[in-house]
Amino acid sequence: MGILTTAILLLHPLVACMALRWMWLQYGWKKKSKEMKGEERKNELERHEKNGERLLQLAIGTVLLAFFAKGIVALIEDEDIMQALVPKSLHGWTGPFGVSLLWIMARWGRKTRNLRIKKESFHIPKTKHGRAADILIACMFLHAFLGFLYLFTVL
């Protein structure tokens, strides 16, 4: 494997590390929200909502970047592109699955926001959103660990 293909394949883990850091900071909202009151909490809640939407877009982009990188490497190495795009490891399958979970969690977060704005009860979607965040953080670290191990087989 040449330097060019190695560099292309390393784009995904580099962007993913940034996304993981951002997800962890976003997850910290659960603790911070209990310590804030009034206008400060309202401003931080708006920031949390905006960052959640951006994070979802970044996660989708990160998965697409992985597929794009695999496709480019397949072209460079004259392999079958369709075969190269099919995940061959648990790490490869958990990426799209994790983004699906993140999308569902963001959907529950949007529902919570909409109900809060309408002054309706938002306890159930808020609870679902929080529990999904707990599960997603655990899955995120598992996925990152699998990716770290997968790097040894790719490189």
Side-chain angles (χ1 to χ4, degrees):
M1 183 176 307
I3 294 173
L4 179 63
T5 55
T6 302
I8 291 170
L9 287 174
L10 286 176
L11 287 175
H12 169 71
L14 292 173
V15 173
C17 285
M18 291 186 300
L20 290 173
R21 171 82 171 129
W22 195 4
M23 285 176 115
W24 183 251
L25 292 173
Q26 183 77 349
Y27 182 68
W29 165 254
K30 286 179 80 169
K31 184 178 178 184
K32 282 188 350 187
S33 70
K34 294 173 185 168
E35 299 168 356
M36 290 184 243
K37 301 272 187 239
E39 194 65 31
E40 178 189 20
R41 187 179 191 288
K42 183 181 174 186
N43 292 337
E44 282 297 312
L45 180 59
E46 285 180 27
R47 186 190 62 75
H48 175 76
E49 291 167 352
K50 286 179 187 175
N51 281 340
E53 293 297 327
R54 290 179 185 143
L55 191 52
L56 176 61
Q57 293 168 358
L58 178 63
I60 292 169
T62 302
V63 170
L64 291 175
L65 178 63
F67 282 108
F68 179 74
K70 290 286 273 185
I72 294 295
V73 169
L75 278 174
I76 291 171
E77 296 184 352
D78 202 30
E79 296 175 2
D80 182 27
I81 295 175
M82 293 310 290
Q83 198 171 29
L85 293 179
V86 175
K88 294 169 187 62
S89 67
L90 183 58
H91 173 79
W93 287 106
T94 58
F97 177 72
V99 168
S100 300
L101 286 177
L102 184 61
W103 180 80
I104 291 168
M105 186 183 72
R107 196 169 147 233
W108 285 332
R110 283 185 218 113
K111 189 173 185 177
T112 300
R113 179 184 60 214
N114 293 339
L115 290 173
R116 189 184 73 247
I117 290 169
K118 293 178 184 176
K119 306 275 193 247
E120 296 179 19
S121 176
F122 57 88
H123 178 72
I124 292 173
K126 179 182 174 189
T127 302
K128 285 181 179 180
H129 179 71
R131 288 184 181 159
D134 295 337
I135 292 169
L136 197 61
I137 284 293
C139 291
M140 175 187 78
F141 281 112
L142 175 66
H143 181 75
F145 179 70
L146 290 172
F148 174 73
L149 293 178
Y150 185 62
L151 267 176
F152 292 114
T153 63
V154 172
L155 301 176

